[in-house]
Amino acid sequence: MEQVDTDTGRAQPLFSPQLPDRTRAADVDVDGGRVAYWIYEPVQVTPETRTILVIHGFRGDHHGLLRVADQLPEMRLVMPDLPGFGSSEPFRSLEHTVENYGHFISGLMAALGLGPETVLLGHSFGSIVASHFVAAHPGTVRELILVNPIASPALEGPKGVMTRLAVFYYQLSARLPSKLGLSILRSQVIVRVMSVAMAKTKDRQLRRFIHAQHSAYFSAFANRQSLLESFRASVGGNVAEVAAALKLPVLLVAGEKDEIAVLPDQYKLLALLPDARLEVIPDVGHLIHYETPAPAAGHIRSFLKDHAS
């Protein structure tokens, strides 16, 4: 797929031709559940090559961060679908909480042999999961990267109204008969409304791509129960509540126009972190991973270079 370059008017590919050759799909058993994951190998191993474990956001899967992975050809990226999303099975006997997703990260790292030199990256809800995991398991990873981090309680501030509407939506779907509740949760109309609200780009081709991605993957959850549990986790936690425990180097990549993880909260979070850097990407909201993958990758590359051993 392509997007149009606003300077030249020419169509530009959304992905590089080398991405398929870098891609390896696999699955692994973690605590009795099958987890699907994808590895994007470096085009060439260099002294700057690092392994980055990527944790996607709520209702997404590994596809969401694919454009960022494509912009880091010198890195090795490991991108699982979280339990209950995409092609991964839900937890069999555990609730889908932030803590249990943290246990999942521990199990996945052990299963894949990912050691303390690993970089951990989380986007949106993934930023909550990743930060709480690091706070509970210091020394497990070397650097932490949070893209569109959820920096404050979801029900506070100007975004509180949006969150309350979402709470009502999920509560309603839970109270209805299963078939009807699922149809509401998977409603393409609601998915499109959400997608239109979050997309800030004026590039028509890119907007179509974003809407197509949300249409294809936003409803790829295992079942209603696991989704509702994950939603409660997504609005019940934030990065700031564990900020003081994050002693490792942290990179925050924020969107100037983010209406979910608003910019003032990112500066407040920065002040709470012992060793952190904040990079703000202009003219983008909560979809940095779709709309501005090159600037995001540039900030990631620079941050890891500055913290190279």
Side-chain angles (χ1 to χ4, degrees):
M1 196 165 185
E2 299 177 329
Q3 70 180 102
V4 176
D5 188 301
T6 55
D7 294 325
T8 66
R10 297 176 181 175
Q12 301 290 325
L14 287 167
F15 296 101
S16 73
Q18 64 192 8
L19 185 63
D21 293 334
R22 295 179 59 199
T23 306
R24 178 165 61 88
D27 57 72
V28 64
D29 183 282
V30 178
D31 295 330
R34 187 183 64 82
V35 173
Y37 68 96
W38 286 256
I39 294 181
Y40 301 89
E41 299 288 0
V43 172
Q44 181 179 359
V45 176
T46 74
E48 295 181 3
T49 297
R50 301 288 303 280
T51 295
I52 306 174
L53 175 59
V54 178
I55 307 300
H56 63 74
F58 176 67
R59 286 192 72 158
D61 64 13
H62 75 283
H63 290 93
L65 280 296
L66 202 51
R67 296 197 74 204
V68 177
D70 194 23
Q71 294 290 328
L72 293 167
E74 76 279 26
M75 301 295 177
R76 179 176 184 260
L77 294 101
V78 180
M79 296 168 54
D81 286 349
L82 287 176
F85 295 100
S87 298
S88 292
E89 296 178 345
F91 294 136
R92 294 187 177 182
S93 58
L94 297 174
E95 186 177 349
H96 294 74
T97 64
V98 170
E99 181 181 8
N100 287 332
Y101 277 125
H103 292 322
F104 158 76
I105 294 177
S106 289
L108 181 67
M109 291 185 67
L112 300 184
L114 301 179
E117 293 301 304
T118 303
V119 181
L120 183 60
L121 184 155
H123 171 256
S124 190
F125 174 53
S127 74
I128 303 174
V129 173
S131 61
H132 281 245
F133 167 76
V134 171
H137 303 85
T140 307
V141 299
R142 205 171 86 178
E143 294 98 358
L144 178 63
I145 299 169
L146 305 177
V147 180
N148 294 119
I150 306 301
S152 65
L155 293 173
E156 293 183 2
K159 62 187 179 299
V161 174
M162 294 172 57
T163 303
R164 288 183 179 88
L165 287 173
V167 169
F168 173 77
Y169 165 67
Y170 284 100
Q171 287 179 339
L172 175 64
S173 70
R175 291 169 181 166
L176 292 171
S178 178
K179 186 175 181 179
L180 180 57
L182 278 172
S183 69
I184 291 176
L185 289 172
R186 291 196 164 110
S187 167
Q188 286 294 306
V189 173
I190 293 175
V191 169
R192 177 56 63 91
V193 169
M194 174 279 303
S195 190
V196 168
M198 288 198 295
K200 303 302 179 186
T201 180
K202 294 179 173 60
D203 185 311
R204 292 181 181 178
Q205 291 279 359
L206 182 55
R207 288 183 73 89
R208 281 198 288 269
F209 169 76
I210 291 169
H211 298 334
Q213 289 280 294
H214 285 144
S215 177
Y217 305 119
F218 204 67
S219 296
F221 52 87
N223 55 60
R224 182 170 63 163
Q225 184 63 32
S226 64
L227 181 66
L228 294 173
E229 290 172 356
S230 297
F231 172 72
R232 285 194 290 268
S234 74
V235 298
N238 61 80
V239 179
E241 59 194 358
V242 295
L246 303 177
K247 307 295 186 182
L248 75 177
V250 178
L251 171 64
L252 308 176
V253 183
E256 179 190 28
K257 297 181 178 181
D258 196 333
E259 296 168 340
I260 295 175
V262 296
L263 193 54
D265 288 343
Q266 306 302 324
Y267 286 103
K268 293 176 184 177
L269 174 60
L270 178 67
L272 297 174
L273 291 162
D275 180 7
R277 174 192 304 181
L278 171 63
E279 301 289 356
V280 180
I281 301 179
D283 299 320
V284 67
H286 203 64
L287 303 181
I288 284 173
H289 54 312
Y290 282 137
E291 296 187 30
T292 56
H299 292 314
I300 291 169
R301 182 178 294 110
S302 176
F303 171 73
L304 294 180
K305 185 176 182 179
D306 289 347
H307 291 89
S309 57

